[in-house]
Amino acid sequence: MDISSLWAQAVHVFSDKLRPGTPEFGLVVYVPLAYWIVAGFYELLDWLDLPATQRSKLTRREPGRDNMVSRQQVVIRVLLQHFIQTVLALAVYVFDDGMCDRCAGNSTTFLHRATRFVLGMYVMDTWQYWIHRMMHTSTFLYKHLHSVHHSLMIPFACGALYNSILEGLLLDSLGGVVTHYVSGMDCQTATWLFIFANAKTVVDHCNYRGPINPLHSLFPNSAAYHDAHHDIRGIKMNFSQPFFTHWDWLLGTFLDPAGMHLTEKEQEQRAREKQVSRFGKLRPRFGKLRPLRFFQGQEAAKAKAAAESKKAR
């Protein structure tokens, strides 16, 4: 394919394929949008810091070191990764114009689409397990690539895709392409799978359990499971993401997170103590008022001042 043909194909993709309502448009726009909607919700909960939500917060008994990067740095890097993913998706459309049409022709029933959806989940899990494991077992790859993600010692929602550029391209962007082609999904099914995978990755990093995180009890690969991996004690365990844990079970890298975090009752007690410490300094100032004694004191002070003034005369 020469340059003129590529240009004509690119024009066709941008003018015809990327219109709202097309499957191609959904893959490019809705997937990153879902990420920021879900991440924004949990970031808002962190900012509000309400006692009602803090009891569902996952807190390690031994918290370890703090994060080494700011939220601003994380947001900028994730936005850059989403830009790269968008460029890669557009490149795939240009080089394989009939991708969505070809796959859609084979996906006419709900059962067929559901089967491809589940197959896509397993393909994605397999790809991410082995790439993720390789990033940890290779000292070079961990030092130069994956250590960026683990600078978030305590994960939070919008940092789910905080990676080095090359790792993000290999693990997430290329992983999405492989999942799409191997599972044989049509673009609409792929859009739903990638939206779900993005949302699942965010909630696995949000550090909330149910009911604030409704997926926490539905999947074995949960926020607690992945938080154990971000703990220094489990950094070479729990490589599976984002859905299942079968590869960890089969290959001996499973670490049960039970007991690593405070229980909900302990977390609720900590939230009450935090609230007391936050407002405790205000209590003496705005404590129980005694209006009668207050005004009596004022009258006594006035009478004493008048007596002293009369005596001075």
Side-chain angles (χ1 to χ4, degrees), residues 35-156:
Y35 180 95
W36 289 108
I37 289 175
V38 178
F41 170 74
Y42 287 105
E43 290 295 326
L44 179 61
L45 293 185
D46 284 346
W47 180 74
L48 291 174
D49 196 23
L50 300 173
T53 59
Q54 283 303 304
R55 67 171 63 100
S56 297
K57 191 77 172 174
L58 282 169
T59 304
R60 298 176 199 157
R61 296 185 183 277
E62 300 177 20
R65 293 184 296 172
D66 291 331
N67 292 334
M68 294 178 279
V69 290
S70 66
R71 269 180 162 79
Q72 182 179 4
Q73 291 173 294
V74 169
V75 169
I76 292 174
R77 178 65 66 90
V78 176
L79 286 172
L80 177 60
Q81 180 165 329
H82 279 147
F83 173 76
I84 294 173
Q85 287 179 343
T86 301
V87 171
L88 180 61
L90 295 175
V92 172
Y93 293 154
V94 170
F95 284 97
D96 188 6
D97 178 43
M99 177 184 67
C100 289
D101 298 330
R102 182 178 62 255
C103 294
N106 299 324
S107 305
T108 56
T109 66
F110 173 79
L111 179 60
H112 189 278
R113 289 189 173 189
T115 302
R116 297 294 178 177
F117 187 97
V118 175
L119 176 60
M121 293 171 70
Y122 278 96
V123 172
M124 182 179 291
D125 261 31
T126 300
W127 177 271
Q128 294 210 8
Y129 176 86
W130 287 105
I131 299 297
H132 190 194
R133 177 172 176 151
M134 183 175 62
M135 292 287 177
H136 279 274
T137 55
S138 169
T139 303
F140 177 84
L141 292 177
Y142 183 83
K143 179 180 179 181
H144 296 283
L145 296 180
H146 196 53
S147 60
V148 173
H149 183 68
H150 277 273
S151 61
L152 296 179
M153 304 299 293
I154 303 175
F156 51 86

